[in-house]
């Protein structure tokens, strides 16, 4: 199912940066949550789902993300069939998962695999906020951890596109422990000398911000995305006043020293490929060529 | 022996346990330190921004052995709570913890962490100074710390703010302590949009010491006197000491790489999925 979705999107995109996709008849309108401007979905898609009015980088599916990031046909998925269970016997959790799987065509909130980006081989993971706000339960934790472990084993760079509402409440403590598990795996990859690039996308919050999303050697963010630890409403409740509009934005994080660069979606592929090339063993001082 | 103490003596509901740990006379780390450690010196500051009163750090002796102690601080009165921010750390608290843990590694001291927090502080300054990054870094640093780490949940083990001191070789919980992904109140308000359903949340969240052992999160339960630790802090402190002595005995002198693999695998195997 996902493969089909992926093929469909790659066909539309041709997996290239400056592609002119064939017109797909669509009448639905996109209404921008940031500037309230609107455009038709086709124009939005041509613009890589970035609002043409204000530049808001809207939330996209993992399949779309892979299609605009990986070289066409290069993506090979890992752990495709991994699905969640119900570790704390939370009422109706299995039903909720099942109905989301049907609705989204995803088995869980993250897709991981191997691909090339402008010819550069890497391991890639993409979280999809359409699946329970990409909250981190057992499957997300396990797939991300395996991605780190494989990156260390295969000596490949790892790129993770993060998006998450935080912990998966329905998995209780088991969800919380995924923070330690993924961060531990990130620490081990770092010790092995592997390159890990985080791309923060809208929204990256809670337990994912407080674990692997903050541990990249290089941390990139898409413009204006929401990134933070605590929820905005929780903080507003604590301080009893409204927070400024740009609070917890990518720009706010960069200003405070937690993001290396802000990169527009249309430049992401090229940027990632360049960064990977800069870390090739042959490029390092005293390295082999 | 510790085995005796792993059997909870009282059958209470999770919510009854929550009420016990909320008792205003429940002993805090400041009560326990003089009962468990000698020659204790508190150390301040993260060397980056400031000193967080919600996280206490220091060095002292446990049964003559130098150890580093890192703990979340519940206040016993309004003044202590003000300086300890009701045990809700800011990023500088976690960075102080990391600094002292690395120092312990350098001087080959074991690290003993005490967890007692509703969670990391949620506020403007905490966000500005990178609360998420501070917790993430703590998780990564403790996972690779080349010295034994033992953690004890004294009362409330709230969320990532607790886990930041919980990446360890062995975790024990006091009999009535809880450990949860979010406070029961927060859980009820997020999932049911009704914070008043706290009691109900508490009873389905699997947050007791026995639950944590069952889920592979905790290894030991430390017995409390009937009715809770506040009824007999000295006995509780003795039970904690007994656990620490046993645990340290098993870890000191063990090959550090074996210990680190064990620490990694303890967390590595937590998760429920099919493939
Ligand atoms: Zn817009």
């Amino acid at each position: 199912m996902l493969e089909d979705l992926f093929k469909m999107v790659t066909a539309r995109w041709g997996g290239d940066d400056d592609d002119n996709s064939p017109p797909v008849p669509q009448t639905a309108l996109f209404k921008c949550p940031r500037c309230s401007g609107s455009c038709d979905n086709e124009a939005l898609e041509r613009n890589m789902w970035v609002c043409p009015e204000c530049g808001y980088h809207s939330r996209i599916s993992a399949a779309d993300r892979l299609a605009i990031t990986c070289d066409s046909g290069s993506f090979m998925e890992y752990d495709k069939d991994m699905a969640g269970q119900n570790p704390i016997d939370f009422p109706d959790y299995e039903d909720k998962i099942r109905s989301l799987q049907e609705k989204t065509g995803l088995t869980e909130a993250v897709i991981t695999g191997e691909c090339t980006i402008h010819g550069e081989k890497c391991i890639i993971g993409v979280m999809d906020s359409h699946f329970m706000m990409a909250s981190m339960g057992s499957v997300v934790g396990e797939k991300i951890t395996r991605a780190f472990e494989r990156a260390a084993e295969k000596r490949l760079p790892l790129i993770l596109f993060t998006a998450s509402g935080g912990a998966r409440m329905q998995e209780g403590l088991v969800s919380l422990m995924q923070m330690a598990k993924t961060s531990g795996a990130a620490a081990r990859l770092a010790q092995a000398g592997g390159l890990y690039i985080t791309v923060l996308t809208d929204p990256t919050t809670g337990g994912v911000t407080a674990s692997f999303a903050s541990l990249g050697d290089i941390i990139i963010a898409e413009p204006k995305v929401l990134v933070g630890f605590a929820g905005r409403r929780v903080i507003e409740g604590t301080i009893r006043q409204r927070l400024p509009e740009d609070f917890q934005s990518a720009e706010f994080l960069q200003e405070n020293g937690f993001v290396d660069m802000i990169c527009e979606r249309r430049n992401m592929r090229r940027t990632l490929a360049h960064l990977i090339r800069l870390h090739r063993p042959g490029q390092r001082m005293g390295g082999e060529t | 022996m510790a085995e005796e103490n792993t059997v909870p003596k009282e059958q209470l509901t999770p919510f009854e346990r929550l009420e016990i740990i909320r008792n205003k006379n429940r002993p805090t780390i400041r009560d326990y330190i003089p009962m468990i450690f000698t020659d204790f010196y508190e150390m301040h500051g993260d060397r980056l921004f400031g000193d967080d009163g919600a996280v206490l750090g220091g060095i002292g002796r446990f049964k003559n052995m130098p150890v580093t102690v890192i703990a979340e601080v519940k206040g016993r009165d309004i003044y202590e709570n003000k300086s300890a921010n009701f045990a809700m750390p800011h990023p500088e608290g976690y960075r102080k913890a990391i600094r002292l843990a690395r120092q312990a590694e350098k001087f080959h001291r074991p690290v003993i962490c005490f967890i007692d927090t509703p969670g990391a502080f949620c506020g403007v300054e905490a966000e500005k100074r990178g609360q998420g990054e501070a917790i993430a870094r703590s998780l990564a640093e403790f996972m690779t710390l080349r010295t034994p780490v033992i953690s004890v949940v004294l009362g409330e083990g709230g969320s990532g703010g607790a886990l930041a001191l919980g990446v360890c070789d062995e975790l024990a919980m006091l009999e009535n302590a809880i450990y949860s992904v979010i406070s029961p109140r927060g859980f009820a308000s997020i999932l049911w949009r009704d914070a008043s359903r706290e009691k109900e949340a508490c009873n389905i969240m699997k947050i007791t010491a026995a639950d944590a052992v069952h889920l592979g999160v905790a290894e030991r339960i430390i017995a409390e006197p009937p009715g809770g630790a506040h009824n007999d802090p000295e006995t509780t402190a003795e039970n904690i000491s007994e656990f620490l002595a046993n645990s340290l005995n098993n870890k000191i002198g063990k090959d550090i790489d074996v210990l680190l693999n064990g620490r990694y695998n303890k967390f590595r195997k937590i998760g429920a999925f099919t493939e």
Side-chain angles (χ1 to χ4, degrees), chain A residues 68-129:
Chain A
I68 63 171
T69 307
C70 311
D71 295 337
S72 182
S74 73
F75 181 71
M76 284 184 345
E77 189 175 355
Y78 293 150
D79 308 311
K80 194 170 174 332
D81 300 319
M82 192 188 294
Q85 288 177 314
N86 191 356
I88 64 162
D89 300 319
F90 191 84
D92 306 325
Y93 182 45
E94 284 114 328
D95 293 341
K96 188 168 176 134
I97 293 278
R98 209 170 303 121
S99 80
L100 269 168
Q101 286 172 337
E102 280 162 21
K103 197 177 135 200
T104 61
L106 296 161
T107 45
E108 252 288 349
V110 68
I111 296 178
T112 55
E114 236 173 85
C115 72
T116 58
I117 300 174
H118 282 304
E120 299 301 321
K121 200 167 179 185
C122 63
I123 291 176
I124 188 168
V126 179
M127 302 179 81
D128 193 323
S129 62

Side-chain angles (χ1 to χ4, degrees), chain A residues 173, chain B residues 14 173 177-182 184 202 205-209 211-212:
Chain A
L173 258 190
Chain B
M173 290 177 66
I178 63 165
Y179 199 0
S180 61
V181 66
I182 185 176
C202 203
M205 284 174 72
K206 306 264 163 53
I207 56 176
T208 66
D211 292 325

Side-chain angles (χ1 to χ4, degrees), chain B residues 7 42 59 75 77 112 118 150 181 225 251:
Chain B
V7 185
E42 188 170 348
I59 52 180
D77 54 45
I112 300 171
I150 299 167
V181 66
K251 276 147 204 86

Side-chain angles (χ1 to χ4, degrees), chain A residues 30 32-37 51-56:
Chain A
F30 166 77
C32 177
R34 293 290 153 90
C35 71
S36 305
C51 172
E53 296 289 319
C54 73
Y56 167 62

Side-chain angles (χ1 to χ4, degrees), chain A residues 175-243:
Chain A
S175 163
L176 184 67
M177 294 304 131
Q178 305 308 310
M179 290 170 62
K181 178 165 150 178
T182 53
S183 299
R188 288 199 153 192
L189 176 62
Q191 286 189 327
L195 170 65
Y196 166 38
I197 300 176
T198 314
V199 184
L200 307 173
T201 74
D202 201 51
T204 299
T205 62
V208 167
T209 302
S211 61
F212 63 88
S214 293
L215 295 173
D217 295 299
I218 296 172
I219 301 183
I220 303 174
E222 288 194 317
K224 296 179 184 172
V225 298
L226 173 82
V227 184
F229 172 67
R232 193 186 180 88
R233 269 181 305 166
V234 177
I235 300 172
E236 284 180 339
T238 312
I239 62 170
R240 294 199 179 82
Q241 63 191 61
R242 294 272 296 163
L243 289 162

Side-chain angles (χ1 to χ4, degrees), chain B residues 24 32 57 73 75 77 93 120 142-144 216 223 232 245 247 254-255:
Chain B
K24 66 176 180 4
Y32 288 129
V73 185
D77 54 45
F142 274 93
M143 195 66 90
T144 53
D232 189 351
S247 184
K254 207 169 179 178
D255 182 275

